[in-house]
Amino acid sequence: MTEYFIQQPPQISLQDIVVSYKAPTERFATFKEYAIRVVQGKIRQAEFLAVNHVNLDIYRGEVFGIIGQNGAGKSTLLKVVARVLPPTEGRVVIHGWIAPLLELGAGFHPELTGRENIFLNGAILGFSRKEIEGYFQEVVDFSELGEFIEAPIRTYSSGMLGRLGFAAATVQRPDILLVDEVLSVGDEAFQEKCFKRIDSFRGQGTTILMVTHAMGQVQEMCQRAAWLDHGNLMFVGKPEDVISAYRASFDWHEK
Amino acid sequence: MIANRHTQVYDSTKRPAPAIEEIRQVFRYRYLIGQLLRRDILTRYKRSALGVAWTMINPLGTMLILAVVFSQVFKMEGYASFILTGLMAWNFFAQASNAAIINLVWGGGLIKRIYIPRTSFAIAAVGTGLVNLALALIPLIVVVVINGLKITWAIVFLPVPILLLAMFTLGVGLFLSSFAVYFPDVAEMYQIVLTAWMYLTPIIYPVDRLPELAQKIIPFVNPMYWLVELFRMPIYAGKIPPWSMIWPISLLCIVVLVFGWWFFCRRADEMAYRI
């Protein structure tokens, strides 16, 4: 356990992160519209700051929640961490292997069987065939799909799909797990199982970064939380404090 | 633990040039590309009784119709083989470049959530096309034999035009899909362009039947003219194309691939914002 006592660099380090979209002020549904405007020279580009100079360090083994209203930049920040989106300014440094908990159905194909989808999904997560073969049975067991694993997943119920999705995404413990509003899978018993698995990840040192609207979940699971508002980091601290600050801003607006 | 194998440090300020980095990542994710390819082939025919056999039946059927309709117009020896060779090269290009677009749109939901090399979709599309093309070579040989044409050693030259076709298709597919991801209209427009493009390529007609002016212009503006000819010559004429015919188009295919790759990679980061 000595490694815990060694001063460690943060596992996720966001240094002065800016993400700005250069978006046209109007949305163009068709290429024709767009082309016409380009020719006319009438495209007005507005700089939209999705994330505004955010500094945040998250340490190994932390469960960290990000809250805020829709459009506050939470998901954008998660994309930056998932290295899907490079920041416009600033620097992200991440140590370790990141796995996002994929939304249901992302990375699955309806015509393929459960078995084939486990391999497709594993490949998307960056595993090799040997590795997937190694953990395959575990996914089948955890998802409780039994012989349905050989049926095309278009025949699955949404509960079965959710179970398969969660089982496939979490079969190997990542160093960092990203959770974006997807912890509501299947029935209560299965949800319990999901939380247990996530809890055991945490016990083994996985850092969990979650974005959610469910304040209960943040309070229950997170050690620290942050509140984002219009791309600005408003408050970082204990979940209770962050939630009450967030709620206070609400009340203030309403009055 | 397996997870440790993937352990690495990501620093957003130390990213190498996107186009170069992409090549490394494609190699690292080669199993994913294999899976995407497998998925394309499996799902396409999954619910049909004849399955993959359709890959061979499809061009044969089209060829049969074209041969019946046009054989009176273009009276030439082995007309069926002539059409089929042209059609196979064309279908490969048209279907794979289209699939590159469709695959990326399908993958749109994925690439904004998880990192995967974004060229994977186009590469898998071209890979699927290559598998289909290889399968269709079997009925092609049969047709050539029935036609009474001689199969010569020139046939070993075939991998060269196939490779060039693949490079050209990948370049075009990447270039187009980097637009189509934002504008679905591009995919629709491309269908129309393809139809026109097909008739400007000597698939049904031999090029010497064209008016003199067209005979001069088409080779200049249409790379597919050369690619179809390179593919056709070893089978239909039983000859290896002359070097003077090979090198200019090879150069062009390299340029198209490099440009398409560079262009796509430059825009790939942006895709996560927009999709």
Side-chain angles (χ1 to χ4, degrees):
Chain A
M1 294 301 279
T2 47
E3 56 187 286
Y4 280 101
F5 297 99
I6 298 167
Q7 194 80 74
Q8 282 190 351
Q11 187 142 38
I12 302 170
S13 175
L14 303 171
Q15 299 162 17
D16 211 25
I17 296 295
V18 176
V19 177
S20 64
Y21 300 41
K22 249 207 212 106
T25 41
E26 321 154 65
R27 247 197 107 78
F28 301 104
T30 67
F31 185 73
K32 193 178 104 191
E33 249 178 82
Y34 177 78
I36 289 171
R37 294 305 168 86
V38 169
V39 172
Q40 290 175 330
K42 269 193 188 163
I43 289 203
R44 254 177 291 159
Q45 300 260 344
E47 193 90 334
F48 171 69
L49 272 179
V51 175
N52 191 6
H53 296 282
V54 165
N55 281 289
L56 193 60
D57 283 342
I58 297 170
Y59 292 88
R60 183 165 185 263
E62 263 195 307
V63 182
F64 197 98
I66 300 177
I67 59 173
Q69 278 171 291
N70 287 332
K74 298 169 300 201
S75 295
T76 308
L77 205 59
L78 219 54
K79 283 181 195 168
V80 170
V81 174
R83 70 187 184 122
V84 165
L85 204 67
T88 321
E89 281 173 45
R91 181 179 184 207
V92 200
V93 183
I94 287 156
H95 293 266
W97 172 49
I98 304 179
L101 204 50
L102 289 175
E103 217 163 274
L104 297 187
F108 282 122
H109 194 287
E111 287 295 332
L112 296 177
T113 65
R115 171 190 296 274
E116 289 161 344
N117 267 303
I118 291 173
F119 279 84
L120 177 60
N121 206 260
I124 288 168
L125 288 170
F127 289 112
S128 70
R129 197 178 84 191
K130 265 213 178 101
E131 289 167 330
I132 301 170
E133 276 166 357
Y135 69 59
F136 176 79
Q137 196 51 44
E138 215 185 313
V139 176
V140 180
D141 294 342
F142 190 88
S143 61
E144 303 163 13
L145 282 169
E147 59 207 53
F148 281 106
I149 207 72
E150 305 297 347
I153 64 165
R154 72 186 142 83
T155 62
Y156 285 19
S157 70
S158 61
M160 289 159 79
L161 262 182
R163 277 168 10 217
L164 180 64
F166 185 88
T170 60
V171 65
Q172 294 294 331
R173 185 184 73 78
D175 299 316
I176 300 165
L177 183 69
L178 303 178
V179 184
D180 192 353
E181 300 274 8
V182 279
L183 275 183
S184 49
V185 167
D187 53 17
E188 233 168 90
F190 189 75
Q191 262 193 47
E192 191 61 30
K193 228 166 115 177
C194 294
F195 279 116
K196 255 194 203 147
R197 176 166 271 188
I198 288 185
D199 224 40
S200 88
F201 279 176
R202 180 176 49 176
Q204 294 170 66
T206 292
T207 309
I208 298 165
L209 182 59
M210 56 195 283
V211 161
T212 181
H213 285 287
M215 297 300 151
Q217 258 177 27
V218 175
Q219 193 132 25
E220 207 177 302
M221 298 181 66
C222 297
Q223 283 131 27
R224 282 202 304 155
W227 162 32
L228 268 182
D229 186 61
H230 292 98
N232 296 299
L233 195 60
M234 307 296 282
F235 199 110
V236 184
K238 280 190 196 150
E240 308 82 276
D241 301 340
V242 175
I243 290 169
S244 56
Y246 174 58
R247 290 215 167 113
S249 80
F250 250 47
D251 295 340
W252 185 82
H253 278 303
E254 273 166 31
K255 270 169 198 166
Chain B
M1 279 299 280
I2 289 168
N4 292 334
R5 264 201 48 207
H6 300 254
T7 299
Q8 50 188 297
V9 179
Y10 164 67
D11 184 337
S12 66
T13 56
K14 288 183 190 143
R15 297 174 72 232
I20 310 280
E21 174 67 6
E22 189 75 14
I23 297 172
R24 277 186 36 213
Q25 295 292 353
V26 162
F27 180 72
R28 186 177 282 168
Y29 278 79
R30 57 194 181 280
Y31 180 61
L32 170 65
I33 293 168
Q35 277 291 309
L36 290 174
L37 200 158
R38 211 179 104 87
R39 182 206 63 176
D40 286 347
I41 291 172
L42 278 181
T43 55
R44 179 155 171 211
Y45 301 113
K46 194 133 197 183
R47 290 213 235 177
S48 64
L50 291 176
V52 179
W54 279 115
T55 310
M56 303 183 212
I57 300 167
N58 226 324
L60 278 182
T62 317
M63 174 218 64
L64 210 65
I65 294 165
L66 291 174
V68 168
V69 173
F70 290 106
S71 59
Q72 289 311 306
V73 184
F74 307 109
K75 287 194 178 117
M76 55 194 287
E77 196 196 347
Y79 185 55
S81 309
F82 179 84
I83 295 181
L84 192 55
T85 46
L87 208 57
M88 275 172 55
W90 176 262
N91 278 353
F92 168 77
F93 167 70
Q95 286 169 5
S97 55
N98 236 331
I101 295 173
I102 294 165
N103 279 2
L104 185 67
V105 173
W106 173 85
L110 269 182
I111 59 175
K112 63 178 179 180
R113 290 188 180 83
I114 184 167
Y115 174 79
I116 46 179
R118 284 151 288 210
T119 51
S120 311
F121 299 105
I123 295 173
V126 172
T128 306
L130 285 175
V131 172
N132 288 336
L133 183 66
L135 284 173
L137 281 174
I138 301 162
L140 173 68
I141 303 292
V142 175
V143 169
V144 169
V145 170
I146 292 173
N147 258 179
L149 297 174
K150 264 199 218 100
I151 293 174
T152 68
W153 276 106
I155 210 162
V156 298
F157 177 74
L158 271 186
V160 175
I162 291 175
L163 179 71
L164 291 176
L165 264 169
M167 288 164 61
F168 182 72
T169 306
L170 184 58
V172 172
L174 284 172
F175 180 74
L176 287 176
S177 57
S178 63
F179 287 105
V181 106
Y182 307 128
F183 305 107
D185 299 42
V186 170
E188 300 297 330
M189 266 165 22
Y190 186 52
Q191 299 299 327
I192 302 170
V193 171
L194 273 179
T195 310
W197 195 345
M198 178 175 161
Y199 285 107
L200 286 174
T201 310
I203 295 165
I204 300 166
Y205 55 84
V207 76
D208 53 23
R209 301 292 175 90
L210 288 177
E212 218 162 289
L213 186 67
Q215 277 188 47
K216 277 191 184 134
I217 294 173
I218 286 180
F220 266 107
V221 294
N222 184 2
M224 281 307 287
Y225 164 84
W226 296 100
L227 291 169
V228 164
E229 289 290 297
L230 281 188
F231 181 80
R232 179 181 274 154
M233 208 184 255
I235 305 167
Y236 181 72
K239 283 191 293 201
I240 290 180
W243 176 241
S244 62
M245 210 175 139
I246 299 167
W247 75 262
I249 188 68
S250 304
L251 207 66
L252 183 78
C253 288
I254 292 168
V255 170
V256 167
L257 176 60
V258 169
F259 177 76
W261 186 276
W262 170 81
F263 189 83
F264 182 92
C265 292
R266 211 172 58 108
R267 297 176 58 121
D269 278 340
E270 234 181 283
M271 287 173 192
Y273 292 112
R274 301 276 181 94
I275 293 167

